[in-house]
């Protein structure tokens, strides 16, 4: 049974089949966020700070940090943000870039065991990213596409994932440190997108015993009431064995899906986390009484 | 692959692994509804009528009809309600009683192929209900408890289900006409209640190839925000292979769960049902224009 351990100086997060679903906050990412991109480029990280705190408060146990801004000094910005986020939160981070120098800059300042997002099945990616993972003792997200692109055939995606795991082993990286992203297509464009992922997740879990991750939002691209669809995709994936997702913890519907999946998969003893998150607020009068140490009126 | 076919004079509903999840409306049931019980006992079925129409409008494709009222003439009331509901809707019905005379009274007036709710693994139940199922060519809900009660061991519940299917076969009832209820416990009382059902549903599907059903509401008994928990239980169960549920279609969250499960399990071609149910309403002016055959303003 695979356990992926990530850490910050003060905290360890375990991703695994017998663990609560791991919520990796996706917000610190300038893609599609013009204002954030402009600010980050100028070295103004106030919004990064706010996003970090808000996501942890909403229940993210890992934060993804991405600094992909065109024509910017991505390695420096990514390293700055990693240092900043580590100084104000205690959750482990996912260092997210498609540029090898940025990944290395982020890893070199990171304290603890990071998740690196990501390596693909392309030879160039494998040969450049895996040595870094080994050097820094990190874990890595393995995206199941290769030189031929993203196959619509789930069997091909499975084989790409298997290849990445084997190559990682060649570099001395255990499969516990490889989390596979089976790639989620928009269900509005591909009717069996959900089924494909469910079948892949189950196979990756049962045949390769690896943890899995996904960018959950993609499944709902272009359909109305998409947050409800994404929420059920998360809980259904979790029932098939998905162990983590890069998602927006500020969407309440999606966090309720994670909480429900934890309860129903037996990973929330005595429903403690569910009760804490879903208990209706006490009436103001009662709160007041309690705050003053008074008894409840009958 | 099991297909359970239910029918009314004008409509056929197929429950099966490759079919949309079957929503069986649970509202026509006087248990815990004092006003409805008193009215039904007096022969006033206006609320039964309203509940039938509302549930069909909300998306139920089968309606459960129960007339279990203490000290009332249950066979007569059940038969009356079956006739009434069949006269105003065209969905197949589930005839729900623990009294054999009431089941027979309902079956004798039912037009089409009904679902009978239910038989248990108790010898007396098997010997009294199964001949009725055979006589009327109905399908039956098999509840996986026996003389010893409801086992908390899912392996025992599996064996009870298997026994009912075998006994049904002895009576000439094919397993296509037996829908197994693996029994859902409240997760607030039993931490692995969800996991137990998921594992049982998968086993019933893969080893016995039978359709499954559950009373979904029970899982959320006593916990806050229970409709959200029930909703995710429904979609997660559907991903494990559950094919139907007796549930309240008037709870929007639960119907969205069914719609999402159908999309993500590939049973909603082109997301047509999702789009119909979840498309945001057009602004009033536009609706008006369309109704008058006008063009949209740009």
């Amino acid at each position: 049974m695979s356990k992926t351990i990530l850490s910050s100086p003060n905290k360890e997060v375990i991703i695994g089949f017998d663990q609560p679903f791991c919520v990796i906050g996706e917000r610190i990412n300038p893609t599609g966020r013009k204002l954030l991109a402009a600010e980050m480029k100028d070295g103004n990280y106030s919004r990064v700070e706010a996003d970090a705190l808000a996501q942890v408060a909403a229940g993210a146990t890992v934060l993804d940090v991405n600094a992909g801004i065109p024509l910017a000094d991505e390695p420096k910005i990514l390293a700055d943000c990693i240092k900043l986020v580590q100084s104000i939160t205690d959750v482990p981070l996912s260092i997210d870039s498609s540029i090898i120098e940025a990944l290395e800059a982020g890893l070199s300042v990171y304290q603890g065991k990071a998740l690196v997002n990501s390596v693909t099945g392309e030879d160039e990616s494998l040969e450049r990213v895996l040595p870094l993972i080994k050097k820094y003792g990190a874990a890595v997200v393995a995206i199941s596409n290769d030189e031929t692109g993203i196959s619509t055939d789930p069997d091909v995606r499975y084989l790409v994932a298997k290849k990445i795991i084997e190559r990682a082993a060649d570099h001395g990286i255990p499969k516990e440190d490889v989390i596979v992203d089976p790639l989620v297509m928009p269900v509005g464009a591909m009717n069996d997108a959900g089924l494909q992922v469910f079948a892949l997740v189950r196979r990756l879990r049962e045949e390769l015993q690896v943890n899995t991750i996904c960018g959950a939002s993609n499944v709902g691209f272009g359909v109305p009431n998409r947050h409800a669809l994404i929420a059920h995709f998360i809980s259904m994936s979790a029932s098939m064995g998905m162990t983590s997702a890069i998602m927006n913890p500020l969407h309440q519907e999606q966090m309720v899906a994670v909480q429900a999946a934890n309860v129903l998969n037996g990973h929330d003893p005595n429903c403690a986390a569910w009760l804490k998150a879903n208990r209706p607020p006490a009436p103001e009068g009662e709160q007041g009484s309690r705050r003053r140490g008074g008894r409840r009126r009958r």
Side-chain angles (χ1 to χ4, degrees), chain A:
Chain A
M1 189 182 282
S2 279
K3 288 188 183 202
T4 307
I5 299 174
L6 306 177
S7 68
S8 68
N10 303 312
K11 207 173 221 171
E12 209 174 73
V13 167
I14 303 174
I15 300 175
F17 304 151
D18 59 350
Q19 300 290 321
F21 194 83
C22 179
V23 174
I24 304 175
E26 71 180 8
R27 290 289 292 161
I28 304 176
N29 189 330
T31 312
R33 295 178 71 188
K34 277 189 186 174
L35 188 60
L36 177 65
E39 287 173 353
M40 286 172 80
K41 199 170 172 179
D42 287 346
N44 170 3
Y45 303 133
S46 56
R47 204 174 297 267
V48 170
E49 204 170 312
D51 281 342
L53 297 173
Q55 291 183 101
V56 172
T61 53
V62 176
L63 295 179
D64 188 78
V65 181
N66 178 304
I69 305 158
L71 306 177
D73 184 355
E74 187 173 330
K76 178 188 181 307
I77 299 174
L78 188 56
D80 284 352
C81 290
I82 298 284
K83 282 189 282 186
L84 172 67
V85 176
Q86 285 216 294
S87 74
I88 57 168
T89 70
D90 63 358
V91 297
L93 303 184
S94 156
I95 302 175
D96 182 1
S97 179
S98 54
I99 295 175
I100 194 85
E101 293 76 17
L103 291 180
E104 175 129 39
L107 281 164
S108 69
V109 299
Y110 185 79
Q111 297 181 55
K113 181 174 173 187
L115 180 63
V116 167
N117 185 4
S118 55
V119 67
T120 71
E122 295 161 290
D123 280 325
E124 194 191 334
S125 176
L126 291 164
E127 291 317 308
R128 299 194 71 186
V129 176
L130 294 179
L132 268 190
I133 303 302
K134 177 65 184 170
K135 176 177 172 190
Y136 288 95
V140 67
V141 174
I143 300 195
S144 47
N145 72 295
D146 63 12
E147 283 82 358
T148 63
I150 300 174
S151 174
T152 54
D153 178 350
D155 288 343
V156 172
R157 303 221 291 282
Y158 174 83
L159 291 175
V160 173
K162 197 158 177 273
K163 169 183 154 187
I164 301 175
I165 293 164
E166 286 163 1
R167 287 285 197 97
D170 292 345
H171 285 266
I173 301 162
K175 71 177 175 184
E176 286 77 20
D177 284 338
V178 182
I179 307 182
V180 175
D181 182 342
L183 285 166
V184 179
M185 314 288 183
V187 81
M190 186 189 284
N191 222 57
D192 59 351
L195 267 189
Q196 278 197 1
V197 173
F198 300 153
L200 259 170
V201 164
R202 188 164 154 184
R203 215 174 148 196
L204 288 163
R205 176 177 180 147
E206 294 182 356
E207 295 178 26
L208 301 181
Q209 291 90 38
V210 288
N211 282 310
T212 42
I213 192 170
C214 69
S217 310
N218 206 30
V219 80
F221 184 77
V223 299
N225 198 11
R226 68 197 176 94
H227 291 299
L229 192 67
I230 296 165
H232 285 287
F233 174 75
I234 290 170
S235 59
M236 291 169 79
S237 298
S239 74
M240 299 307 277
M242 182 92 78
T243 46
S244 62
I246 300 188
M247 54 185 274
N248 186 344
L250 306 180
H251 283 301
Q252 173 71 4
E253 262 174 303
Q254 294 177 33
M255 287 306 285
V256 169
V258 169
Q259 292 152 8
N262 288 338
V263 168
L264 295 166
N265 282 332
H267 300 154
D268 182 6
N270 303 315
C271 305
W274 178 270
L275 291 172
K276 195 175 165 201
N278 290 280
R279 192 174 279 146
E284 273 195 25
E286 292 202 6
Q287 269 190 345
S289 308
R290 265 189 247 157
R291 217 177 299 130
R292 290 193 302 270
R295 287 180 173 232
R296 290 200 196 189
R297 273 184 296 269
R298 287 175 183 266

